[in-house]
Amino acid sequence: MDHKRVTLFAGHYGSGKTNIAVNYALHLASEGKKVCIGDLDIVNPYFRTKDSEAELKRAGVELISPQFANSNVDLPALPAEAYRLVEDKSIFAIMDIGGDDRGAYALGRYAPALLAENNFRMAFVANCYRPLTRTPQEAMEVMEEIQQACGIRFTCIVNNSNLGAETTEETLTQSQGFIQELCRLSGLPLWMTTAQADVAAKMENVFPLQLQKKPFDLPPQKPAGRPLWG
């Protein structure tokens, strides 16, 4: 898998950005890389990178998160040390960006440094089973809003389509038409398809899954009556 020095994960609320960011950090660490992951989500206090702090520490991954993450204090501010993610060229940095355009505004302060270095990958995490990204057109709208808010354009797409613990091989297979059309509309390549390890093991002969995940952070999300695109 080709790695950039900085990898950013952004997308719609509940798309699975945090889960992917944590697993990618663990993947980089398993290759012997010096990794630092930053929780830049100042919007959603419920599903945070800090939830995996112990596991990240065991793997040698440094975590930067808001001071009051996982407490009963909701202070939407980023620590000054987060600048290390773009300034320290000796680390592989991962940024977990808040959902939609509101969460992406926090990324704007780092945009000049990221664009100047030009050694980053910004991945749009797509889940076609989420209520507001059930069609490629809806996903495109979210993508454009995020790009306008942070001043950085996406470079690739991650297919993280899932129904939480209820995900099956069919769930993943049915997402392929959605992802192919999203790639066509956006002009962006599919970087990787992700799945929980037990599902991925059954799909290896169908299409490559570059990142196998630990159990999902989110509870199962069932379709809300509207059929999948395609």
CSV table of all heavy atoms in Angstrom, one decimal, residues 51-82:
chain,number,residue,atom,x,y,z
A,51,ASP,N,-11.1,7.1,22.1
A,51,ASP,CA,-11.7,5.8,22.6
A,51,ASP,C,-10.7,4.7,22.5
A,51,ASP,O,-10.8,3.7,23.2
A,51,ASP,CB,-13.0,5.5,21.9
A,51,ASP,CG,-14.1,6.5,22.1
A,51,ASP,OD1,-14.1,7.2,23.2
A,51,ASP,OD2,-15.0,6.7,21.3
A,52,SER,N,-9.8,4.8,21.5
A,52,SER,CA,-8.9,3.7,21.2
A,52,SER,C,-7.5,4.1,21.8
A,52,SER,O,-6.5,3.5,21.3
A,52,SER,CB,-8.8,3.5,19.7
A,52,SER,OG,-10.0,3.1,19.2
A,53,GLU,N,-7.4,5.0,22.7
A,53,GLU,CA,-6.1,5.5,23.2
A,53,GLU,C,-5.2,4.4,23.7
A,53,GLU,O,-4.0,4.3,23.4
A,53,GLU,CB,-6.3,6.5,24.3
A,53,GLU,CG,-5.1,7.1,24.8
A,53,GLU,CD,-5.3,8.3,25.8
A,53,GLU,OE1,-6.4,8.3,26.4
A,53,GLU,OE2,-4.4,9.1,26.1
A,54,ALA,N,-5.8,3.5,24.5
A,54,ALA,CA,-4.9,2.4,25.1
A,54,ALA,C,-4.4,1.5,24.0
A,54,ALA,O,-3.2,1.1,24.0
A,54,ALA,CB,-5.8,1.6,26.0
A,55,GLU,N,-5.2,1.1,23.0
A,55,GLU,CA,-4.7,0.3,21.9
A,55,GLU,C,-3.7,1.0,21.1
A,55,GLU,O,-2.7,0.4,20.7
A,55,GLU,CB,-5.9,-0.1,21.0
A,55,GLU,CG,-5.5,-1.1,19.9
A,55,GLU,CD,-6.8,-1.6,19.1
A,55,GLU,OE1,-7.9,-1.1,19.4
A,55,GLU,OE2,-6.6,-2.5,18.3
A,56,LEU,N,-3.9,2.3,20.8
A,56,LEU,CA,-2.9,3.0,20.0
A,56,LEU,C,-1.6,3.1,20.8
A,56,LEU,O,-0.5,3.0,20.2
A,56,LEU,CB,-3.4,4.4,19.8
A,56,LEU,CG,-4.6,4.5,18.8
A,56,LEU,CD1,-5.3,5.9,18.9
A,56,LEU,CD2,-4.2,4.2,17.4
A,57,LYS,N,-1.6,3.3,22.1
A,57,LYS,CA,-0.4,3.4,22.9
A,57,LYS,C,0.4,2.1,22.9
A,57,LYS,O,1.6,2.1,22.8
A,57,LYS,CB,-0.8,3.8,24.3
A,57,LYS,CG,0.4,4.1,25.2
A,57,LYS,CD,0.0,4.6,26.6
A,57,LYS,CE,1.2,4.9,27.5
A,57,LYS,NZ,0.8,5.3,28.8
A,58,ARG,N,-0.3,1.0,23.0
A,58,ARG,CA,0.3,-0.3,22.9
A,58,ARG,C,1.1,-0.5,21.6
A,58,ARG,O,2.1,-1.2,21.6
A,58,ARG,CB,-0.7,-1.4,23.2
A,58,ARG,CG,-1.1,-1.6,24.6
A,58,ARG,CD,-1.9,-2.9,24.8
A,58,ARG,NE,-3.1,-3.0,24.0
A,58,ARG,CZ,-4.3,-2.6,24.3
A,58,ARG,NH1,-4.4,-2.1,25.5
A,58,ARG,NH2,-5.3,-2.8,23.5
A,59,ALA,N,0.5,0.1,20.6
A,59,ALA,CA,1.1,-0.1,19.2
A,59,ALA,C,2.2,1.0,19.0
A,59,ALA,O,2.8,0.9,17.9
A,59,ALA,CB,0.0,0.0,18.2
A,60,GLY,N,2.4,1.9,19.9
A,60,GLY,CA,3.4,2.9,19.8
A,60,GLY,C,3.0,4.1,19.0
A,60,GLY,O,3.8,4.9,18.5
A,61,VAL,N,1.6,4.3,18.8
A,61,VAL,CA,1.1,5.4,18.1
A,61,VAL,C,0.8,6.5,19.0
A,61,VAL,O,0.1,6.4,20.0
A,61,VAL,CB,-0.2,5.0,17.4
A,61,VAL,CG1,-0.8,6.2,16.6
A,61,VAL,CG2,0.1,3.9,16.4
A,62,GLU,N,1.3,7.7,18.7
A,62,GLU,CA,1.0,8.9,19.6
A,62,GLU,C,-0.3,9.5,19.2
A,62,GLU,O,-0.7,9.6,18.0
A,62,GLU,CB,2.1,9.9,19.4
A,62,GLU,CG,2.0,11.2,20.2
A,62,GLU,CD,3.1,12.2,20.0
A,62,GLU,OE1,4.0,11.9,19.3
A,62,GLU,OE2,3.0,13.3,20.5
A,63,LEU,N,-1.1,9.9,20.2
A,63,LEU,CA,-2.4,10.5,20.0
A,63,LEU,C,-2.4,11.9,20.4
A,63,LEU,O,-2.0,12.3,21.5
A,63,LEU,CB,-3.4,9.7,20.8
A,63,LEU,CG,-4.8,10.3,20.8
A,63,LEU,CD1,-5.5,10.4,19.4
A,63,LEU,CD2,-5.7,9.5,21.8
A,64,ILE,N,-2.9,12.8,19.5
A,64,ILE,CA,-3.2,14.2,19.9
A,64,ILE,C,-4.7,14.4,19.8
A,64,ILE,O,-5.3,14.1,18.8
A,64,ILE,CB,-2.5,15.1,18.9
A,64,ILE,CG1,-1.0,15.0,19.0
A,64,ILE,CG2,-2.9,16.6,19.2
A,64,ILE,CD1,-0.2,15.8,18.0
A,65,SER,N,-5.3,14.8,20.9
A,65,SER,CA,-6.7,15.0,20.9
A,65,SER,C,-7.1,16.2,21.7
A,65,SER,O,-6.3,16.7,22.6
A,65,SER,CB,-7.4,13.8,21.5
A,65,SER,OG,-7.1,13.6,22.8
A,66,PRO,N,-8.3,16.8,21.6
A,66,PRO,CA,-8.7,17.9,22.4
A,66,PRO,C,-8.6,17.6,23.9
A,66,PRO,O,-8.8,16.4,24.3
A,66,PRO,CB,-10.2,18.1,22.0
A,66,PRO,CG,-10.3,17.6,20.6
A,66,PRO,CD,-9.3,16.4,20.6
A,67,GLN,N,-8.3,18.6,24.7
A,67,GLN,CA,-8.0,18.4,26.1
A,67,GLN,C,-9.1,17.7,26.8
A,67,GLN,O,-8.9,16.9,27.7
A,67,GLN,CB,-7.7,19.8,26.7
A,67,GLN,CG,-7.4,19.7,28.2
A,67,GLN,CD,-7.2,21.1,28.8
A,67,GLN,OE1,-7.2,22.1,28.1
A,67,GLN,NE2,-6.9,21.1,30.1
A,68,PHE,N,-10.4,18.0,26.5
A,68,PHE,CA,-11.5,17.5,27.2
A,68,PHE,C,-12.2,16.4,26.5
A,68,PHE,O,-13.4,16.1,26.8
A,68,PHE,CB,-12.5,18.6,27.5
A,68,PHE,CG,-11.9,19.7,28.4
A,68,PHE,CD1,-11.6,20.9,27.8
A,68,PHE,CD2,-11.7,19.5,29.7
A,68,PHE,CE1,-11.0,21.9,28.6
A,68,PHE,CE2,-11.1,20.5,30.5
A,68,PHE,CZ,-10.8,21.7,30.0
A,69,ALA,N,-11.6,15.7,25.6
A,69,ALA,CA,-12.2,14.6,24.8
A,69,ALA,C,-12.5,13.5,25.8
A,69,ALA,O,-11.8,13.2,26.8
A,69,ALA,CB,-11.2,14.1,23.8
A,70,ASN,N,-13.7,12.9,25.6
A,70,ASN,CA,-14.2,11.8,26.5
A,70,ASN,C,-14.5,12.3,27.9
A,70,ASN,O,-14.3,11.5,28.9
A,70,ASN,CB,-13.2,10.6,26.5
A,70,ASN,CG,-13.4,9.8,25.2
A,70,ASN,OD1,-14.1,10.2,24.3
A,70,ASN,ND2,-12.7,8.7,25.2
A,71,SER,N,-14.8,13.5,28.1
A,71,SER,CA,-15.2,14.0,29.4
A,71,SER,C,-16.6,14.6,29.3
A,71,SER,O,-17.2,14.6,28.2
A,71,SER,CB,-14.2,15.1,29.9
A,71,SER,OG,-14.4,16.3,29.2
A,72,ASN,N,-17.1,15.2,30.3
A,72,ASN,CA,-18.5,15.8,30.2
A,72,ASN,C,-18.3,17.3,29.9
A,72,ASN,O,-19.3,18.0,30.0
A,72,ASN,CB,-19.2,15.6,31.5
A,72,ASN,CG,-18.5,16.2,32.7
A,72,ASN,OD1,-17.4,16.7,32.6
A,72,ASN,ND2,-19.1,16.1,33.9
A,73,VAL,N,-17.2,17.7,29.5
A,73,VAL,CA,-16.9,19.1,29.1
A,73,VAL,C,-16.8,19.1,27.6
A,73,VAL,O,-16.0,18.4,27.0
A,73,VAL,CB,-15.6,19.7,29.7
A,73,VAL,CG1,-15.4,21.1,29.2
A,73,VAL,CG2,-15.7,19.6,31.2
A,74,ASP,N,-17.7,19.9,26.9
A,74,ASP,CA,-17.7,20.0,25.5
A,74,ASP,C,-17.1,21.3,25.1
A,74,ASP,O,-17.8,22.3,25.0
A,74,ASP,CB,-19.1,19.8,24.9
A,74,ASP,CG,-19.2,19.8,23.4
A,74,ASP,OD1,-18.1,19.7,22.8
A,74,ASP,OD2,-20.3,20.0,22.9
A,75,LEU,N,-15.8,21.3,24.8
A,75,LEU,CA,-15.1,22.6,24.4
A,75,LEU,C,-14.6,22.4,23.0
A,75,LEU,O,-13.6,21.7,22.8
A,75,LEU,CB,-13.9,22.9,25.4
A,75,LEU,CG,-13.2,24.1,25.2
A,75,LEU,CD1,-14.1,25.4,25.3
A,75,LEU,CD2,-12.0,24.2,26.1
A,76,PRO,N,-15.2,23.1,22.0
A,76,PRO,CA,-14.8,22.9,20.6
A,76,PRO,C,-13.5,23.6,20.3
A,76,PRO,O,-13.5,24.7,19.7
A,76,PRO,CB,-16.0,23.4,19.9
A,76,PRO,CG,-16.5,24.5,20.8
A,76,PRO,CD,-16.4,24.0,22.2
A,77,ALA,N,-12.4,23.1,20.7
A,77,ALA,CA,-11.1,23.7,20.5
A,77,ALA,C,-10.0,22.6,20.3
A,77,ALA,O,-10.1,21.6,20.9
A,77,ALA,CB,-10.7,24.6,21.6
A,78,LEU,N,-9.0,22.9,19.4
A,78,LEU,CA,-8.0,22.0,19.1
A,78,LEU,C,-6.7,22.4,19.9
A,78,LEU,O,-6.4,23.6,20.1
A,78,LEU,CB,-7.7,22.0,17.6
A,78,LEU,CG,-8.8,21.4,16.7
A,78,LEU,CD1,-8.4,21.6,15.3
A,78,LEU,CD2,-9.0,20.0,17.0
A,79,PRO,N,-5.9,21.4,20.4
A,79,PRO,CA,-4.7,21.7,21.1
A,79,PRO,C,-3.7,22.3,20.2
A,79,PRO,O,-3.6,21.9,19.0
A,79,PRO,CB,-4.3,20.4,21.7
A,79,PRO,CG,-4.9,19.4,20.7
A,79,PRO,CD,-6.2,20.0,20.3
A,80,ALA,N,-2.8,23.2,20.7
A,80,ALA,CA,-1.7,23.8,19.8
A,80,ALA,C,-0.8,22.7,19.3
A,80,ALA,O,-0.2,22.9,18.2
A,80,ALA,CB,-1.0,24.8,20.7
A,81,GLU,N,-0.6,21.6,20.0
A,81,GLU,CA,0.3,20.6,19.6
A,81,GLU,C,-0.1,19.9,18.3
A,81,GLU,O,0.6,19.2,17.6
A,81,GLU,CB,0.5,19.5,20.7
A,81,GLU,CG,-0.8,18.8,21.1
A,81,GLU,CD,-0.6,17.8,22.2
A,81,GLU,OE1,0.5,17.3,22.4
A,81,GLU,OE2,-1.6,17.6,22.9
A,82,ALA,N,-1.4,20.1,17.9
A,82,ALA,CA,-1.9,19.5,16.6
A,82,ALA,C,-1.1,20.0,15.4
A,82,ALA,O,-1.0,19.4,14.4
A,82,ALA,CB,-3.4,19.8,16.4
